[in-house]
Amino acid sequence: MIYEHPLAYLLGVEGIALMRAFTGEHDSEFVHARLAEVRRLLDDGSLAGAAVEVDRVDSVEGYRIWSRTYDGPNGAFAFDEPVVKEILDALPVGAVLDAACGTGRFTSALAARGHRVVGVDSSPEMLARARDRVPGAEFRLGDLTRLPVADGEVDLVVCALALTHVRELEPVIAEFARVLRPGGHLVISDMHPERVARGSIPSVRGPDGRPGRLPGHRHLVGDYLRAALAVGLRPRRCEEPRFPAEPPAESPSPTTAPGPWELWPWSLAEMVPEAALAADAGEPVTIIWHFQREP
Ligand SMILES: C[S@@+](CC[C@H](N)C(=O)[O-])C[C@H]1O[C@@H](n2cnc3c(N)ncnc32)[C@H](O)[C@@H]1O
């Protein structure tokens, strides 16, 4: 069970903004505005009793529910697609594994580039959508830790926005190395650990309406690197697409209520927009890796 108290999030955002002021990014007016806002939040009786108890939901159950709406607007896509596609455009056509392919976002982009694509995912419901979207690809139900793919079967592995759901990177990255031919390429995108730490973790409502969060593990930059180096994968490129460094000159007016739980933490951030924009300025959203297996 996760205890999600709106005040915990709001004071956390204020704290990050204040820390950035303490290290010289903002002036005294900003600091005193934040301190006044903290007092107002602490005195806001409507927030005191607004905590929500949230279930931890596993990926298979979470994506069974999220599959219905996954292809709707998703702010993370703008922070991985341009870089991932730029890397893919420079690679030769061949046999590709789209690991944790979901509804086939990258399976379709890979098939359009002429690759022979196998998509693997542990969610039957996400795979059903991928089959409809990319009829020419092959799809297999399976887990990232035991990929249903033979040794050296593919020239390229793509794994987008999925590794935050696994607790340990090592067994998964070792699987990627196993299925790659020598000299093959691995392209990973994932939520950046800084975003995961700020609560950017997917939520779902269970069948009984209970709130639930999917697994959101925070892998540090060095965690990917160590796991890859240990199995003979060499880094070729690492990018951390980020929010604009300068927040807009005018912040929107603060909202006065936390909004529905489904929209947390974004609707909470709207209660403290100046602090939230300052806390996020220049912060990375995703991390993207290009590795190559030793020949
Ligand atoms: C955020 S979606 C990403 C889907 C797709 N790669 C994309 O970028 O749109 C994460 C996907 O990872 C899958 N997934 C999570 N844990 C997995 C595991 N251990 N093995 C296989 N698939 C997994 C989920 O079922 C889901 O389809």
Side-chain angles (χ1 to χ4, degrees):
M1 196 70 81
I2 309 168
Y3 182 67
E4 295 190 9
H5 199 307
L7 266 180
Y9 181 82
L10 293 164
L11 297 180
V13 170
E14 297 286 357
I16 295 166
L18 281 165
M19 187 62 79
R20 294 184 72 158
F22 187 78
T23 54
E25 292 185 35
H26 300 283
D27 60 13
S28 63
E29 188 186 343
F30 178 91
V31 171
H32 290 288
R34 300 283 66 73
L35 295 176
E37 199 161 54
V38 168
R39 288 192 189 94
R40 175 176 67 71
L41 292 168
L42 289 170
D43 289 342
D44 183 340
S46 71
L47 290 175
V52 175
E53 301 265 12
V54 178
D55 291 335
R56 294 180 194 274
V57 177
D58 70 37
S59 284
V60 174
E61 171 62 4
Y63 280 98
R64 188 183 64 71
I65 300 165
W66 196 13
S67 61
R68 297 172 205 138
T69 54
Y70 181 82
D71 290 324
N74 185 328
F77 295 169
F79 288 90
D80 76 343
E81 279 184 20
V83 179
V84 170
K85 287 182 173 173
E86 188 180 293
I87 297 169
L88 298 181
D89 284 341
L91 297 178
V93 169
V96 183
L97 166 65
D98 186 0
C101 61
T103 59
R105 182 167 65 108
F106 280 113
T107 320
S108 126
L110 289 158
R113 283 164 174 73
H115 295 284
R116 299 181 308 283
V117 196
V118 174
V120 170
D121 201 282
S122 57
S123 162
E125 293 80 8
M126 294 291 272
L127 279 179
R129 287 178 186 268
R131 282 190 183 101
D132 286 346
R133 186 176 186 170
V134 199
E138 184 190 343
F139 292 97
R140 302 174 190 167
L141 185 67
D143 194 273
L144 288 168
T145 55
R146 294 178 304 280
L147 289 168
V149 179
D151 295 0
E153 184 179 326
V154 295
D155 304 296
L156 167 65
V157 174
V158 174
C159 181
L161 299 182
L163 293 182
T164 189
H165 295 316
V166 305
R167 185 178 296 278
E168 303 289 342
L169 287 181
E170 288 85 350
V172 176
I173 304 266
E175 274 294 90
F176 294 161
R178 177 184 68 75
V179 303
L180 272 178
R181 67 159 172 79
H185 297 265
L186 167 63
V187 180
I188 291 172
S189 81
D190 205 5
M191 287 313 289
H192 199 280
E194 293 292 334
R195 275 297 95 199
V196 180
R198 308 275 179 96
S200 189
I201 301 169
S203 59
V204 290
R205 286 267 181 197
D208 51 4
R210 288 176 63 86
R213 287 234 182 247
L214 276 77
H217 299 285
R218 204 158 65 84
H219 305 301
L220 304 185
V221 175
D223 294 337
Y224 299 90
L225 198 51
R226 282 182 288 277
L229 290 173
V231 291
L233 294 165
R234 296 284 167 251
R236 299 260 318 247
R237 186 168 170 187
C238 177
E239 301 291 345
E240 296 167 288
R242 47 189 78 209
F243 289 123
E246 291 297 325
E250 292 278 311
S251 307
S253 301
T255 55
T256 53
W261 169 82
E262 285 84 349
L263 298 182
W264 292 5
W266 296 278
S267 60
L268 296 175
E270 289 169 3
M271 295 183 75
V272 292
E274 192 177 21
L277 286 167
D280 280 349
E283 284 293 298
V285 180
T286 55
I287 183 161
I288 294 153
W289 288 98
H290 176 191
F291 294 101
Q292 186 168 13
R293 199 184 139 180
E294 287 167 353

